Every structure is written in structure tokens, then in C-alpha cells.
Amino acid sequence: MRPARFLFPLFCCLLLHGQKGPYDILITGARVIDGSGSPWYAADIAIQGDTIRAVGLLPDAAAAVRIDGRGLVAAPGFIDIHSHGRRGIFNVPTAENYLREGVTTIIEGPDGSSPLPLAPFLERVSKTPISINFATFVGQGTIRENVVGLANRKATPEEIEKMKTLAAQAMRDGAFGLSTGLYYVPGNFSSTEEVIELAKVVGRLGGIHISHMREEAAHVLDSVRETIRIGEEGGLPTQITHHKIIGKSNWGESVESLKLVEAARAREVDVTIDQYPYTASSTGIAALFPQWALEGGQKSVVERLGAPAERARIKAVIVENIKVDRGGGDPQNISIASCSFDRSLAGKNLAEITRARGVAATFENAADTAIELQQKGGCSAIYHAIEEQDVVRILRSPYTMIASDGEIPVFGQAAPHPRSYGTFARVLGVYVREQHVLTLEDGVRRMSGYPAARLKLWDRGLLRPGMKADVVLFDPEKIAGRATFEKPHQYSVGVRDVIVNGKFVMRDDAVTSERPGRVLYGPSHQ
């Protein structure tokens, strides 16, 4: 059942005709899509300070700034529930890539990785003049590394108690929940039971669980079952993040994964999904390696690769992963997003880099190239191994919200996944306007009211009096993601104005000097 705030009667908004203000900002004549999924309606929106004061017919209202919204959609600022913006926010505090899509809030700390302790980090963010709102999860992998290290072993009962204490403190510091990255070291060394113990603590403190699952390829259904189990036995909402099906031999498994979600919800397990709308994923080149080979961190990996027998075992797995898993059956399907030790590699694929070594781009030679890249420190890579039909099928699910899994890039540097520039605009341009997979109202709901409710952000995500004034004005006929895999550094188009906490951070398609973004704190913040 939706929270009561979604049932706020429309007439309560519309009976505000005749209120005079004065207001700071008045948006007139826009098509209001309020974030609840309800049909659009024509109305004015009055903002005073950081709050929406009135929504309705306000022809006589006085305001310092009047915005003509005719021909535009007024929607709640979009909320990205899975972002990797924590490093970029200090380098590019405007987060222009997000603003130009209408994103006004990003949630950090995904995939089991976050700062720890959280309080000093969030204090640093709060002292940084930023354009968007910022919030975070606490990472289970980070907690485990703090207590157990990078060892591939079971945690002792004493270590689990220490991890539970750290999880509770992170919730008091302001986390919105627990993220797991059970695909990554050291999260992948955790048993399901260990994660459930932490989930119980976080659930009691009002948080949710969000998971980069243990496997998104051959064992994806087992991973969905595990994610559901963590929520069911942990007693908290649980979310499959950036849900996808990797590897041609697994394409179509979304039919079964969505059935598992439906069945879980039928027995009252609160499981949901988020997704980015692309047929490629992005993570480190180490994703091609067997997980056991990554134990102990980079120094240990290099040592293993220096032992001929171990190197041969590792190489055999990499070859197989290029053939049937993330490699999509061809080394050219793996392109480099960034390499700290050699920036010239950004944008080149594994086949090109292999041929540049003077050898043919065979699976075996490409595996050697991946090994060499990891020995030098590793690279971030993009993997083209997802089918469009799975993307659309997952997007159609009523339990799916939109999230970028993106970063805040320095414009022009490296070759990041286009999801960092285009996720939200692409959904509205391609899957709403062009393909009619979603209605415009439902597309907006999945970017605003739905993630807000998931996170218990009760004062954001809807355009209603009393809500915080995070508002985006966009042209539904023009909004589009321009970023491509070949040319990722292209801003989205179609968003004209963005308001965060009552201040214009974009006005008439230009980023302003305002920095009204805030740190948002979770339900147990003290």
C-alpha cells in the first residue's frame, strides 16, 4: 500500500485559488506531474523560502520571480537512488551532468562501499557548497573490511557483533540503509547469514537494504533469491539495484527474476528494483577475474599473477568470462572507461589494446591484456553484454524505479558510461516519448515519488504544499539523453529550469551560481 501522502486529495491543492502571497517564485501555466503517478493537471506552483506553499490556480498571486511554464512539465526533482558521486561532488560541486537531467538528489554509498565512519564525511559534504542534495547508505563491504579485512573466511561471532555496532552507528550518523556489493571483495566473502545479522540492525533503525547482487549472469536467479531472503529474514525493505541480465546465454532470465519478485511481494516481502536503461554495464577490469583471486587486495593479486600456475588458473577464468559472461563473446565488447596509469587507454576496447601489443585479439591474448592492465593497477571498463528486451521487460515492472549507477565526471576527462549523463533523460525521451513503454506520469513517478517513499524522504518527491521546493521544468517533446558510448561527454537536453530547496540552480538552460544543496539524513539520524 502507498503511504498516505500519496493519497493527498487533488482538491486540497486546487482550493488555493485566490491566495496572494507574496511568494519568492511562481511557476504559471505548467502541466503539473506531481510524482504520485496521477494524471497531469494544469496549475501554478508557488514557492516561498525552501518550501512549496501553494499548488493550484493562482492568477492574482504576487511573486518576486514569475516563470512562464506554458508548454513545459513541472515535476518533482528527480532522486537518483544509486549514485557514485562521492568523489566527484568535491571536484564538480555543481554536478551539472545531473542537473541537466533534472536530478536534484543523489544517494551515495552503493555496492557495499561507503566512507566509514560516516559522520566526518557527511560533515565535509555539508561544508561544501553544492548544487544538489546528497545522502548515503553505509556499505556492508566497508564495514566488513574494517573488522575482518580482505580475507576470504567466515566472520566470527565476535566480529559480527562489531560489524553490527558499526552498522548501528552509521544509521545514527545519517545512513538511509545498508548497501551490499556481494559481487565485490570483501562482500563476496560474506555469507547470507552474516548479511542478515546486519540487516536486522538496520531494519530496526528504519533503514532499507539495497544490493548489487552476488551474480548477475549465470546465477542471477539465485542472487535474486538471496536478495529477497535478506529482506525477508532481516525484516526490512530490500532492493535489487541496477537489475540486469548479463551474458547472451542468460538473456531472457528477467522473465523468471520478475516472477520471483512478484511471488515475494505476494507473501508480503517488501522487495523492489532499480535500473539504468542501457545494454552495457560498467565496473573494474577485475570483474573478469575469479573472485578468489582478488582476496587480499591488489598486492596479493599481483603476487598470484607472478606465480605461473596461479596465473594460468586465473587466465582460464578470464577467457571464459570474455566468451560467455561480461565479455559478450568478443574482446571488443569490453572498452576502457578510465585508467589512472594511462589515460590514453580511455575509449579503447580490449581487442584494440591487445592488437596494439602486436598480437591477434584472441580470447587468450585478450585475457593476457586484462591481466597486464590489472597488474598495473587496474582500469574501469564498460561491458556490452545485455539484451534490450531484458531492459524493457524490467523497466515495465511496476516495482522498478530509475537510478543511474553513475558518477559526477569532469567534463571531457576519460570515457565514462553514458549513464552518468543520460539515464533519466533517456528514459523520458526513449522509453516514454518514443517507445511508449511507460506513460510520462509513471516515468516521473519512478524518478521522484517512488524513490522518495522508498527512502522515507517524506518532504520530497511530490509537488504538494508543504513539501521542499525541489522542482524541475522540462520540455516533454525535447528531453533526451545525448551521451553515447562513443561520445559520453554530452549533456542531456530539454530541461530548462531546476530549483533545489527553493533556489534556481539552472535558469533558462544555464547553471547558476546558487549552491543550495543539502546533506539529507536517514530516519535514525541523531
Side-chain angles (χ1 to χ4, degrees), residues 306-320:
E310 293 287 87
R311 182 185 177 105
R313 288 179 62 204
I314 293 168
K315 179 178 175 180
V317 174
I318 294 173
V319 167
E320 189 67 12

Side-chain angles (χ1 to χ4, degrees), residues 295-334:
E295 180 183 5
Q298 177 67 5
K299 182 179 178 182
S300 298
V301 172
V302 172
E303 289 175 355
R304 290 187 187 97
L305 292 173
E310 293 287 87
R311 182 185 177 105
R313 288 179 62 204
I314 293 168
K315 179 178 175 180
V317 174
I318 294 173
V319 167
E320 189 67 12
N321 282 339
I322 296 173
K323 285 182 178 179
V324 301
D325 198 286
R326 289 182 180 269
D330 194 324
Q332 72 177 0
N333 289 333
I334 303 169

Side-chain angles (χ1 to χ4, degrees), residues 407-487:
E407 58 190 285
I408 303 175
V410 175
F411 193 87
Q413 286 189 13
H417 195 298
R419 66 194 183 191
S420 293
Y421 285 94
T423 292
F424 295 82
R426 177 174 169 79
V427 169
L428 295 176
V430 174
Y431 297 101
V432 170
R433 185 177 63 242
E434 295 177 9
Q435 296 186 14
H436 308 291
V437 175
L438 304 174
T439 65
L440 184 56
E441 289 87 348
D442 196 27
V444 168
R445 177 188 73 89
R446 293 162 185 263
M447 303 174 180
S448 55
Y450 196 11
R454 198 63 173 153
L455 295 164
K456 301 178 182 175
L457 283 171
W458 303 126
D459 59 353
R460 299 178 197 269
L462 295 175
L463 296 183
R464 302 280 170 80
M467 306 293 282
K468 294 302 180 186
D470 293 348
V471 184
V472 55
L473 278 170
F474 67 90
D475 186 333
E477 299 303 317
K478 294 181 180 178
I479 192 165
R482 295 298 189 213
T484 64
F485 290 102
E486 295 75 24
K487 295 181 178 180

Side-chain angles (χ1 to χ4, degrees), residues 100 106 212 231 261 278:
R100 291 193 173 276
I106 62 172
H212 179 134
V261 171
Y278 296 91

